Amino acid sequence: HKPGTIRAGGQSRPSPPEMKRRWAWLFQKISRSHLGEAASGVLLIYSQSILHILEASSGTLYHILMDLQVHQGGELWGDIKIMVMSHNIPTRLFSQWNATKLEVPVTLEDVTQSQTTEEVITECLTLILKMGVYLATLKVRMGNKDLGECLHTTVPELLIPAETIQYLCRSQECLSPAEFLKMYKKPLHLFLRPQHHSVKIQWVDGEKGASK
């Protein structure tokens, strides 16, 4: 399978160590029952929300969404929304999976008030791509530093504001795992009906100057 990616946000409930253990357990569980490429990406843990960027085969992502659907709205993850899901990506952005806690200050200006959801998502994807490129070069320079420390002290401009993640979690345009799976399983039917066109012709009588 070609790798696909999923970016999801949600209201965080468990502690960061619990989240890391939970996701590591889920990846192992899926790998035992499903033959597919291992997941890569990064789990960014904010104080009130999370942003999870995942890369894996379509089958692996499907199993992950099935698990998220079960825990949607519960104490484990809270509200979950899918920012975007991409298919047939030629190369991965992340070489492995990692998770880190972030200390991101609250911004005074909420730019989401003046933007459409599509514009907000586009900006988020741009930041994610830039962060992935940065992390690819960071591995050899990190040493013993924590990933989160490297991100919010070195490149804070690449981190998506927490307010933006919460905005996307409230957005009706972003699908929950259950809504996405319902659409994914629904067959596509095309109904082609014959079209009857009527043409209205209007002309002017040269002698009477009347329209008929």
Side-chain angles (χ1 to χ4, degrees):
H1 296 286
K2 291 289 185 69
T5 63
I6 179 173
R7 284 99 182 182
Q11 302 296 320
S12 62
R13 294 294 187 276
S15 65
E18 287 180 287
M19 289 189 189
K20 294 179 183 180
R21 288 193 296 268
R22 177 65 173 75
W23 278 103
W25 171 83
L26 179 59
F27 292 149
Q28 291 179 359
K29 175 186 175 183
I30 293 175
S31 66
R32 289 194 297 266
S33 60
H34 173 73
L35 295 178
E37 299 177 5
S40 59
V42 61
L43 174 67
L44 302 178
I45 306 171
Y46 294 73
S47 60
Q48 298 295 325
S49 57
I50 65 173
L51 175 67
H52 203 173
I53 306 158
L54 279 172
E55 299 173 316
S57 64
S58 298
T60 298
L61 291 178
Y62 174 80
H63 282 78
I64 291 173
L65 287 174
M66 290 287 289
D67 184 83
L68 291 176
Q69 177 184 224
V70 173
H71 298 96
Q72 171 78 37
E75 294 183 357
L76 188 61
W77 298 126
D79 297 327
I80 304 171
K81 289 295 182 72
I82 300 171
M83 187 190 306
V84 68
M85 188 165 184
S86 307
H87 296 277
N88 297 323
I89 298 175
T91 58
R92 292 193 182 215
L93 188 61
F94 301 90
S95 60
Q96 60 185 8
W97 183 82
N98 209 331
T100 186
K101 182 180 179 181
L102 295 177
E103 299 293 340
V104 181
V106 177
T107 57
L108 298 178
E109 181 183 4
D110 188 1
V111 296
T112 59
Q113 298 295 328
S114 59
Q115 293 178 309
T116 64
T117 302
E118 183 178 354
E119 290 172 337
V120 173
I121 291 177
T122 299
E123 287 192 4
C124 289
L125 293 179
T126 300
L127 292 176
I128 289 172
L129 289 172
K130 290 181 178 179
M131 182 177 61
V133 172
Y134 173 76
L135 290 178
T137 62
L138 182 65
K139 188 176 180 181
V140 295
R141 297 186 281 111
M142 276 184 61
N144 295 323
K145 290 184 179 180
D146 178 72
L147 175 60
E149 179 185 349
C150 289
L151 287 175
H152 60 67
T153 58
T154 310
V155 285
E157 69 278 5
L158 298 185
L159 298 176
I160 298 174
E163 294 80 4
T164 301
I165 298 175
Q166 294 174 9
Y167 164 81
L168 292 175
C169 286
R170 296 190 301 267
S171 173
Q172 298 298 318
E173 298 178 48
C174 295
L175 301 179
S176 67
E179 291 170 334
F180 182 90
L181 289 172
K182 182 179 180 180
M183 182 182 67
Y184 180 84
K185 296 175 183 177
K186 187 176 181 180
L188 179 63
H189 296 292
L190 295 178
F191 297 96
L192 299 179
R193 297 179 179 177
Q195 300 294 323
H196 300 282
H197 300 281
S198 60
V199 180
K200 181 180 180 181
I201 302 176
Q202 188 175 41
W203 72 95
V204 176
D205 189 306
E207 294 182 355
K208 298 181 180 180
S211 176
K212 297 183 179 180

